[in-house]
Amino acid sequence: MSSREVVVLSVGGVRFVTRASTLQQFPESRLARMVSDDDREFKLVNGEFFVDRDGALFSYIMDFLRTLQVSLPTDFSDYQRLQREAEFYGLYSLANLLSQEHLLKPRLEILEVRFSLQKMQAFFRIFGSCSTTIEALAEQITVFTGQQSGQGWNSPFPSQKPLVPLPLERPSHHDMVFLCGTEYSAGDQFVARYVSIKPDKRKLINGTNVLGLLLDTLLKDGFRLISTRTVPSEEKAECYTFERMKRAAGLAIMVNQTPGSSGVAQARRSQVQKAK
């Protein structure tokens, strides 16, 4: 790669090395003009362009130029400062997106698990503020049913008879209901329900074990337990409330790269969520 294809910048004392083509993504930007020596404010010192701006914020500018996506950390708060930096560099499509910070800010997500024991059965109900999370969790949870002979609540092994998967009850897009354990059928027959939660491959019949696996799964998925309480009702349900910051979906920029383009860009939602 020739030296003309590589550009070195020193922004506020932070050194960046990139391709000239990356800085030329938006032809009308000051960075593109800098590469072409058309912007006198950027001084070339010892082969590096010196830029007297915020180096930490410029790392987000570079990430945007490399990916054409806006994806910021969940704890990011300097939207106005980053918008000013984007305007300084002539990246107005980025500045316009940053002015709509509600599109980029992560959202607080609440999830509640209710658990109650009745005789030999355990009942679960999960509520979530985000329907997408509930749908994803429903795909992880499978309830299997089958009949057993002379086996009860504390049986550690599934029946030898084939188990049949049951669909979860979905009262709405924001909650799901399922149960596990055994219930008396006829004679010495029991109807047993086992619960499996991916990626764990076990089929559990004990409600307390299922609860422990469910809570552990949520914690590993980034949720934080914020409260536990007992709901005053006939079932005496235990209630576990979780929260997490859900990263906003990345916003991608579609650049018009036709001849004579002025670098005008349009934003669209990207399904790719990129962590920093």
Side-chain angles (χ1 to χ4, degrees):
M1 186 179 294
S2 69
S3 59
R4 302 181 69 180
E5 293 177 308
V6 177
V7 179
V8 181
L9 302 93
S10 177
V11 185
V14 183
R15 194 169 183 264
F16 297 88
V17 181
T18 186
R19 294 173 179 266
S21 57
T22 300
L23 299 174
Q24 294 171 323
Q25 288 277 19
F26 297 86
E28 296 301 315
S29 71
R30 297 188 68 184
L31 291 171
R33 297 202 305 271
M34 176 193 72
V35 175
S36 303
D37 296 325
D38 291 335
D39 195 312
R40 301 293 183 181
E41 186 170 340
F42 297 99
K43 304 296 184 182
L44 191 61
V45 180
N46 297 326
E48 300 182 5
F49 285 101
F50 173 74
V51 186
D52 190 17
R53 304 293 293 191
D54 190 307
L57 291 179
F58 189 73
S59 66
Y60 301 118
I61 300 284
M62 284 303 307
D63 184 66
F64 167 73
L65 291 174
R66 287 168 174 151
T67 66
L68 296 183
Q69 289 189 8
V70 184
S71 184
L72 301 171
T74 55
D75 59 350
F76 186 82
S77 60
D78 287 338
Y79 292 92
Q80 292 184 348
R81 291 183 60 216
L82 184 55
Q83 181 184 348
R84 288 198 300 269
E85 294 301 294
E87 291 171 348
F88 171 80
Y89 293 110
L91 298 169
Y92 297 109
S93 57
L94 174 59
N96 290 337
L97 283 180
L98 291 167
S99 68
Q100 306 175 63
E101 57 185 80
H102 64 281
L103 297 176
L104 300 170
K105 283 185 174 180
R107 299 180 180 179
L108 181 63
E109 183 178 354
I110 301 296
L111 188 140
E112 183 180 275
V113 176
R114 293 194 176 187
F115 166 74
S116 62
L117 288 172
Q118 296 182 27
K119 296 182 180 179
M120 295 188 296
Q121 294 189 86
F123 293 81
F124 294 84
R125 186 160 192 168
I126 304 174
F127 303 84
S129 60
C130 178
S131 60
T132 304
T133 297
I134 294 297
E135 290 170 5
L137 190 58
E139 292 179 357
Q140 290 180 257
I141 299 174
T142 305
V143 177
F144 298 90
T145 186
Q147 283 194 337
Q148 297 179 339
S149 298
Q151 295 181 355
W153 169 262
N154 291 316
S155 173
F157 301 107
S159 168
Q160 296 301 314
K161 295 182 180 180
L163 298 176
V164 180
L166 290 176
L168 300 180
E169 185 180 344
R170 295 292 306 277
S172 75
H173 292 297
H174 290 273
D175 62 339
M176 72 176 80
V177 177
F178 62 93
L179 58 87
C180 66
T182 59
E183 60 180 336
Y184 180 75
S185 177
D188 63 347
Q189 296 292 313
F190 290 86
V191 175
R193 288 184 176 86
Y194 299 85
V195 174
S196 177
I197 304 178
K198 297 177 182 177
D200 194 291
K201 297 181 179 180
R202 293 173 296 171
K203 296 180 177 66
L204 303 176
I205 195 172
N206 184 292
T208 302
N209 293 340
V210 173
L211 176 64
L213 178 58
L214 176 59
L215 300 186
D216 186 58
T217 299
L218 295 174
L219 292 172
K220 289 180 178 178
D221 200 29
F223 281 97
R224 182 172 67 93
L225 181 63
I226 58 174
S227 72
T228 60
R229 69 183 192 277
T230 300
V231 179
S233 63
E234 293 181 1
E235 295 83 8
K236 295 182 179 179
E238 298 175 13
C239 181
Y240 301 82
T241 304
F242 294 82
E243 71 174 17
R244 73 174 175 183
M245 296 302 293
K246 183 177 177 63
R247 184 184 298 277
L251 285 176
I253 299 295
M254 299 182 65
V255 184
N256 180 7
Q257 296 180 335
T258 57
S261 167
S262 61
V264 176
Q266 294 180 334
R268 65 176 174 82
R269 282 285 182 186
S270 170
Q271 298 302 316
V272 179
Q273 294 189 359
K274 186 170 71 65
K276 280 201 174 281

